[in-house]
């Protein structure tokens, strides 16, 4: 695993965006050989998306032959709901880049048979040839995508009940009213993320320090699903200094030295 520590969120996000653009460019995607990118929502990736939009507009990277798969979606929220992840992705990213509509994949939280929707999503990822790079954030309780504590580290796309902690944290987007937050979500599994050729996790701020500590220094455990990145051959965590507050000095020194 690599841990890239930057002074602040903006520096870290710019690093992540340039890393993603470099990977897309190095792949030389074309219609017959598209680059497959996994994407998250949340406040964490906003600056990374803003930088990728800039890079796209300046011609430094093209999304013409990029296929995307989003990590998750709330169960029961229609696409046009302002808090749906469909809405978020279009507002903050897709509407501003040259991606083809048919190349965008997001789980549909309104499907009559959500379980079937999850199975079809796994099939679609396989049909696309697998994910080259999965970008993700991390929840305060260490969840990746919506893989809450005690989700199997072998999980695939599934319907996930949300914990009261996550509902409370995410209620900030629902007028701080926990009763407005959906109680379930559709999410790619931990294994779905780990199957990607590369995993890039962003973690910013003090609120993520405990999750980062368990994810990097703790044991591999379903309690902190972020810890699954320890098993990945090509995983990078990009964070700001605040998020490293609960890491030991030795850990910070090790990663800082090796990245010099
Ligand atoms: C949600 C999403 C996760 C995201 C997490 C952190 O629960 N399902 O994919 O990583 O929140 O959100 P934020 O980036 O707003 O801290």
């Amino acid at each position: 695993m690599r841990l890239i520590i930057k002074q602040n969120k903006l520096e870290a996000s710019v690093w992540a965006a340039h890393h993603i653009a470099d990977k897309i460019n190095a792949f030389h995607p074309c219609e017959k050989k598209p680059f497959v990118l996994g994407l998250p929502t949340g406040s964490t990736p906003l600056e990374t998306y803003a930088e990728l939009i800039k890079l796209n507009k300046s011609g430094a990277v093209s999304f013409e032959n990029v296929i995307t798969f989003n990590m998750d979606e709330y169960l029961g929220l229609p696409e046009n709901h302002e808090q749906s992840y469909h809405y978020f992705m279009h507002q903050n990213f897709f509407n501003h880049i040259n991606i083809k509509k048919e190349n965008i994949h997001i789980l549909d939280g309104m499907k009559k048979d959500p379980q079937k929707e999850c199975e079809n999503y796994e099939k679609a990822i396989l049909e696309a040839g697998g994910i080259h790079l999965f970008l993700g954030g991390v929840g305060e309780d260490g969840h990746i995508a919506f893989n809450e504590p005690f989700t199997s580290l072998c999980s695939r796309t599934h319907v996930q009940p949300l914990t009261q902690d996550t509902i409370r944290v995410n209620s900030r987007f629902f007028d701080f009213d926990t009763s407005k937050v959906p109680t379930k979500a559709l999410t790619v599994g931990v294994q779905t993320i780990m199957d990607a050729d590369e995993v890039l996790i962003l973690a910013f701020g003090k609120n993520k320090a405990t999750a980062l500590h368990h994810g990097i220094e703790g044991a591999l455990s379903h309690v902190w699903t972020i810890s699954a990145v320890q098993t990945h051959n090509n995983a990078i965590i990009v964070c700001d200094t605040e998020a490293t507050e609960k890491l030991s000095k030795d850990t910070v020194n090790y990663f800082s030295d090796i990245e010099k």
Side-chain angles (χ1 to χ4, degrees):
M1 175 199 291
R2 288 175 69 190
L3 175 69
I4 311 285
I5 307 168
K6 296 288 175 189
Q7 278 304 309
N8 55 50
K9 184 180 180 182
L10 186 62
E11 261 187 49
S13 304
V14 168
W15 188 95
H18 283 253
H19 180 80
I20 296 165
D22 289 348
K23 288 286 161 152
I24 295 173
N25 289 335
F27 189 82
H28 301 295
C30 58
E31 217 172 312
K32 288 204 170 134
K33 195 189 74 160
F35 188 87
V36 186
L37 183 61
L39 294 173
T41 53
S43 41
T44 302
L46 283 172
E47 284 81 356
T48 302
Y49 288 150
E51 184 67 18
L52 281 170
I53 293 167
K54 265 195 217 162
L55 292 172
N56 181 234
K57 290 203 188 303
S58 72
V61 69
S62 170
F63 291 90
E64 200 187 343
N65 293 306
V66 174
I67 295 184
T68 62
F69 284 89
N70 260 82
M71 289 187 140
D72 43 20
E73 178 58 287
Y74 286 113
L75 185 71
L77 286 196
E79 285 182 17
N80 58 0
H81 188 289
E82 282 191 16
Q83 293 312 329
S84 79
Y85 288 168
H86 275 81
Y87 191 90
F88 174 99
M89 287 308 297
H90 284 86
Q91 285 289 111
N92 295 300
F93 195 38
F94 296 143
N95 288 349
H96 313 285
I97 59 170
N98 67 332
I99 192 162
K100 294 175 189 151
K101 259 198 152 145
E102 63 271 26
N103 284 351
I104 297 171
H105 300 84
I106 309 180
L107 284 152
D108 184 346
M110 295 303 285
K111 278 275 157 68
K112 270 200 184 132
D113 186 347
Q115 190 49 46
K116 187 93 201 138
E117 171 69 357
C118 294
E119 285 161 24
N120 289 341
Y121 206 65
E122 286 283 333
K123 277 186 205 149
I125 293 173
L126 272 183
E127 272 160 28
I131 291 175
H132 294 115
L133 191 161
F134 222 132
L135 176 68
V138 58
E140 290 181 25
D141 61 4
H143 68 241
I144 43 172
F146 262 132
N147 293 288
E148 296 282 37
F150 305 107
T151 303
S152 165
L153 299 184
C154 300
S155 53
R156 300 212 157 270
T157 307
H158 62 282
V159 179
Q160 174 75 49
L162 302 180
T163 63
Q164 282 308 311
D165 266 353
T166 295
I167 290 174
R168 182 184 45 75
V169 172
N170 288 7
S171 69
R172 69 190 193 281
F173 301 114
F174 293 84
D175 310 322
F176 291 94
D177 181 349
T178 50
S179 72
K180 288 186 184 164
V181 185
T183 56
K184 288 182 181 165
L186 279 69
T187 179
V188 295
V190 179
Q191 190 63 53
T192 320
I193 301 168
M194 293 306 129
D195 279 352
D197 294 343
E198 179 172 357
V199 176
L200 180 61
I201 301 290
L202 311 174
F204 305 137
K206 284 181 202 303
N207 290 354
K208 304 295 169 73
T210 304
L212 217 57
H213 158 64
H214 287 281
I216 296 172
E217 298 177 318
L220 172 67
S221 165
H222 60 175
V223 184
W224 298 87
T225 56
I226 176 77
S227 67
V229 298
Q230 294 175 17
T231 66
H232 199 280
N233 273 327
N234 196 10
I236 307 180
I237 298 180
V238 188
C239 67
D240 58 5
T241 43
E242 284 190 359
T244 65
E245 275 183 6
K246 298 216 164 142
L247 296 180
S248 77
K249 260 196 178 163
D250 285 349
T251 301
V252 171
N253 287 343
Y254 169 81
F255 284 112
S256 307
D257 285 351
I258 213 157
E259 290 298 336
K260 262 182 201 154

